[in-house]
Structure formats: structure tokens, C-alpha cells
Amino acid sequence: LSTGLRTSNITKLKWDWVNLARETLTVPVGSFKQKRSHTIPLAPTAVAILKRQIGRHPERVFTYKVTNKKKGDYYRPVGKIRTDAWHKALARAEIKDFRVHDLRHTFASHHIMNGTPLVVLQALGGWKDPKMVLRYAQQNTNSLRKYEVNSCV
């Protein structure tokens, strides 16, 4: 939600893609859908989330805890978001009818409702085609309120 990245870029996120000092994240060419690298600035929320993951795994950022009687507790990298885990998280957050990919749509919609120019949003989301930005970014009534007819008369 904070980065606008695709689910696979988040689940497969590697530490060498992250620059906490510069507060940026760069998805390399082979891992980004558009066949190019993609660098984004990290919001304070994203930086805080990343910092909480430090030390769990040497290569991958997001992990899950494994308890093993012989080896003890350790962390394995997340490969993908399992449907049952997603539904449990939604239930805990009391959210209904929400897909993982909806996070990317929500990212774009929040930006557009807060006045981010389309060309900037296109760069942040890594969309090649401006038409895709419009498919993802949706306005709500409150964000349109300042443009209502009464304010134009």
C-alpha cells in the first residue's frame, strides 16, 4: 500500500534492492514487469516496516517464522501470499471483499485523491502506459467536492 509495488516485487524483495540511507527501493530489470529497473522513494511507514525485518534473513526482506524442534526457530523467505493467510489477515483487520492486488489500486487512488499529478503517479507506480494509471487511480466523491458546480459559479 505504501509503495504501490506489485505483490511479487514485495514478496520477493531482496535487501540489496533497499537503500535505507537514501530511503529508496530499486527493483532490478529482471524482476520488474516492464523489463526495466524501477526506483521509488520510501515513505516513513515503509522504512519503519523494512527496519523491523532487519536480521531475519540475509537475502530476503519478508519472511515467516518456522518453529523446528531440532533446529529451533528460524525465518524462511515468503514466496507468495497464501490465500488462507490473506483471508486470516483480512478477518483480523475486519476487512471484507479485498484482494491483494487491490492494494496497488488503493495506492494509486489515494495518490490521485491527494493531488499527485498523473505523470508523477505513473512514475511512482511504474506504469508504462498512462491509460493504465487511469485504470488504477479512482476518485471518490469527497476528492471531487472542491470542483463541484457551486464553487465554479
Side-chain angles (χ1 to χ4, degrees), residues 1-2 98 102-116 121 136-140 143:
L1 183 60
S2 180
F98 198 78
D102 291 338
L103 294 168
R104 190 160 158 81
H105 285 270
T106 303
F107 163 85
S109 295
H110 282 198
H111 269 280
I112 205 71
M113 287 185 280
N114 285 305
T116 302
L121 180 54
Y136 277 81
Q138 302 296 313
Q139 297 277 358
N140 70 14
S143 68

Side-chain angles (χ1 to χ4, degrees), residues 35-113:
K35 309 277 191 266
R36 58 183 166 81
S37 66
H38 179 61
T39 300
I40 58 165
L42 293 170
T45 305
V47 171
I49 290 168
L50 291 170
K51 285 182 176 179
R52 286 197 303 266
Q53 306 307 312
I54 293 173
R56 292 187 176 180
H57 194 270
E59 181 184 354
R60 298 276 289 282
V61 174
F62 294 108
T63 59
Y64 62 96
K65 188 176 183 178
V66 176
T67 301
N68 185 301
K69 290 180 183 177
K70 293 180 183 179
K71 295 181 183 179
D73 292 347
Y74 63 97
Y75 291 91
R76 270 199 183 138
V78 171
K80 63 180 183 173
I81 297 175
R82 292 185 5 235
T83 303
D84 61 329
W86 177 251
H87 288 292
K88 285 178 186 177
L90 289 177
R92 283 193 307 271
E94 299 179 4
I95 298 171
K96 296 179 192 234
D97 192 29
F98 198 78
R99 302 166 304 148
V100 175
H101 193 69
D102 291 338
L103 294 168
R104 190 160 158 81
H105 285 270
T106 303
F107 163 85
S109 295
H110 282 198
H111 269 280
I112 205 71
M113 287 185 280

